[in-house]
Amino acid sequence: MPAPTPATSATPARPVRRRAGRPTAAVLDQGGITTAALELIGTKGYNGLTMAALARSLGVAPSALYNHVSSKDDVLILLMDHLAAMVDVSAFGSEPWESAVRRWAWSYRDVFSEHTPLIPIIAVLPVANAPKTLAMYESVTAGFREAGFPEDRIISAIVALEAFVFGAAYDVTAPDDIFDAGSLASQVPNFTAAVDRLALEQHDRPTDVAFSLGLEALISGFGALRA
Amino acid sequence: MPAPTPATSATPARPVRRRAGRPTAAVLDQGGITTAALELIGTKGYNGLTMAALARSLGVAPSALYNHVSSKDDVLILLMDHLAAMVDVSAFGSEPWESAVRRWAWSYRDVFSEHTPLIPIIAVLPVANAPKTLAMYESVTAGFREAGFPEDRIISAIVALEAFVFGAAYDVTAPDDIFDAGSLASQVPNFTAAVDRLALEQHDRPTDVAFSLGLEALISGFGALRA
DNA sequence: ACCTGAACACCGTTCAAGT
DNA sequence: ACCTGAACACCGTTCAAGT
């Protein structure tokens, strides 16, 4: 390690004091807030995402945020919609329906498995408030329709796939020993045997095995509905 | 309405002041805390479940709770395990595998759809900390095994079904107009058409249609794995 | 061991004042 | 319109003191 440079640290909240009153140019906007929130989550996790910390990272007072978002929940919605745009829908229209669904679902799970606190938000938020999420739905719906999926079941199928994806995203974050019954093991012999049996298979990621199993069942079950 | 009775209201926190010092018999225990929490949630929702409100409903000071639980998260774990015991696993062993899974999954979803704030807890909590949840897994595992399900895939199948159930539980709580694109409707024609098409079918509960569609796909996909 | 009561370190949010 | 700074009403949790 070289000698520490004096005062200029890595990327601290720039300690330049701004005095009260409207600045000549706005220092905040929703895009900047979203980016700063994402960075904060990356370094400190969701527990570190407080309005105070967010303001600090942007070099403003906490109350300044409320000129651009109406609440902390609003920040979470911004984040959620930003992440929806990162989900890979590119295979719809360029690949067979089965592999397009597969790519979409794996990508969707991977993106949100690192942002599970947003799941309660996205699962119940009206799409009108999340344009990028809506764009994702449009791509997926178009892919289903082009693949000959019966029109009146497209939304139900997407909702079901999404439910599975959200639940699976939580599972990714579960500890490795979640199924260790400990001292109660002898009271649940069937369960313990099944857990041991899975461990014997020596999969890299049990969560991926379960996701694949469920996803393939959904894909082939839904695939049978196509014309 | 009859004339209001004077001081005795419905079921208020009994305002009997207890003075400091150990009471002759403990006034709290984990069962009572769980019951009180459940009642509080029933009347005020999860926003109303605070340590202060919980203590108040039990007629104690907030700090007294910490003699019986180590944190608010601990209360949530107690609740979660209590609810797991309410999930219907009775069909395993008495009905064909398909209908047993069906009964279990619907019941599981219904129970947790009114307690979605517990889902992040149950999804990642080691089973050793939740004996009733563990008992549920034992019943389900035994049912899968008796039905000739390949032993090394039982846990993966349960995990996948659970993921779907948790995601679907959130969906139950979504507003009816969640898919109304509003002013953006014209930009997402395929999606809008599919949403309108589903609405035409006039289902009582779209969330139930989606759940059924996904669950039946999982059941028939997994059912094919049996001997 | 198990309660009370005071205290602590936060939290999101509001609002007057400033430019 | 968009910032600062002070304030508010909470929140979960700790801990000494009491019996």
Side-chain angles (χ1 to χ4, degrees):
Chain A
M1 258 232 235
T5 45
T8 48
S9 56
T11 321
R14 171 181 40 122
V16 179
R17 278 266 165 275
R18 200 178 1 257
R19 74 182 195 284
R22 186 190 187 195
T24 47
V27 290
L28 293 179
D29 58 57
Q30 292 198 335
I33 290 171
T34 306
T35 305
L38 227 31
E39 199 175 307
L40 198 52
I41 291 160
T43 58
K44 315 269 184 188
Y46 273 86
N47 283 344
L49 181 64
T50 66
M51 294 302 269
L54 186 54
R56 216 182 102 78
S57 79
L58 286 160
V60 297
S63 52
L65 294 168
Y66 291 86
N67 289 303
H68 304 271
V69 295
S70 61
S71 64
K72 183 178 177 181
D73 255 29
D74 212 10
V75 175
L76 297 182
I77 291 171
L78 252 25
L79 277 170
M80 180 276 267
D81 202 39
H82 178 87
L83 293 174
M86 299 176 57
V87 175
D88 183 7
V89 293
S90 68
F92 286 106
S94 69
E95 286 184 31
W97 180 83
E98 282 85 355
S99 50
V101 173
R102 200 144 35 218
R103 278 254 294 270
W104 170 59
W106 278 97
S107 162
Y108 203 171
R109 186 203 68 150
D110 288 344
V111 167
F112 278 90
S113 65
E114 300 196 342
H115 296 275
T116 53
L118 300 179
I119 291 177
I121 307 274
I122 189 173
V124 304
L125 186 80
V127 294
N129 298 79
K132 292 171 185 168
T133 306
L134 188 54
M136 178 187 76
Y137 288 135
E138 173 66 6
S139 298
V140 177
T141 306
F144 273 59
R145 172 182 264 183
E146 283 157 26
F149 208 90
E151 181 119 38
D152 61 321
R153 312 244 225 164
I154 293 180
I155 297 299
S156 297
I158 292 175
V159 167
L161 280 161
E162 245 186 337
F164 179 62
V165 162
F166 292 152
Y170 280 115
D171 190 55
V172 172
T173 71
D176 290 335
D177 63 340
I178 187 172
F179 288 133
D180 182 354
S183 61
L184 290 71
S186 61
Q187 295 172 42
V188 289
N190 286 286
F191 178 73
T192 301
V195 170
D196 291 348
R197 197 50 203 283
L198 175 64
L200 272 182
E201 304 291 322
Q202 206 82 329
H203 294 295
D204 330 62
R205 290 230 297 180
T207 189
D208 288 350
V209 175
F211 186 67
S212 180
L213 191 70
L215 180 58
E216 295 306 320
L218 289 170
I219 288 175
S220 68
F222 293 171
L225 299 174
R226 290 192 292 143
Chain B
M1 257 230 236
T5 45
T8 49
S9 55
T11 320
R14 170 183 39 126
V16 179
R17 277 267 166 273
R18 199 177 4 256
R19 72 182 197 287
R22 184 190 188 194
T24 47
V27 291
L28 293 180
D29 58 58
Q30 292 198 334
I33 290 172
T34 306
T35 303
L38 228 30
E39 199 174 306
L40 198 52
I41 290 160
T43 57
K44 316 269 184 186
Y46 273 88
N47 283 344
L49 181 64
T50 67
M51 294 301 270
L54 185 54
R56 217 181 102 77
S57 80
L58 286 160
V60 298
S63 52
L65 294 169
Y66 291 87
N67 288 302
H68 303 271
V69 295
S70 60
S71 63
K72 183 179 176 180
D73 255 30
D74 212 9
V75 175
L76 298 182
I77 291 172
L78 251 25
L79 277 170
M80 181 276 267
D81 203 39
H82 179 86
L83 293 174
M86 299 176 57
V87 175
D88 183 7
V89 294
S90 68
F92 286 106
S94 69
E95 286 183 32
W97 180 84
E98 281 85 356
S99 50
V101 172
R102 201 146 33 221
R103 278 255 294 269
W104 170 59
W106 278 98
S107 161
Y108 203 171
R109 186 203 68 148
D110 287 344
V111 168
F112 279 90
S113 65
E114 300 196 342
H115 297 274
T116 53
L118 299 179
I119 291 178
I121 307 273
I122 190 173
V124 304
L125 186 80
V127 293
N129 299 79
K132 292 171 185 167
T133 307
L134 189 53
M136 177 187 75
Y137 288 135
E138 173 66 6
S139 298
V140 177
T141 306
F144 273 58
R145 173 182 263 182
E146 283 156 26
F149 207 89
E151 181 120 39
D152 61 320
R153 312 243 224 166
I154 293 179
I155 298 299
S156 297
I158 292 175
V159 167
L161 280 161
E162 245 186 337
F164 178 63
V165 162
F166 293 152
Y170 280 116
D171 191 54
V172 172
T173 70
D176 289 336
D177 63 340
I178 186 172
F179 288 134
D180 182 354
S183 62
L184 289 71
S186 61
Q187 295 172 42
V188 290
N190 286 284
F191 178 73
T192 301
V195 170
D196 290 347
R197 195 53 201 283
L198 175 63
L200 272 182
E201 305 291 322
Q202 207 82 326
H203 294 295
D204 330 62
R205 290 231 296 179
T207 189
D208 288 349
V209 175
F211 186 68
S212 180
L213 191 69
L215 180 59
E216 295 307 319
L218 289 170
I219 288 176
S220 69
F222 293 171
L225 298 174
R226 291 192 293 143

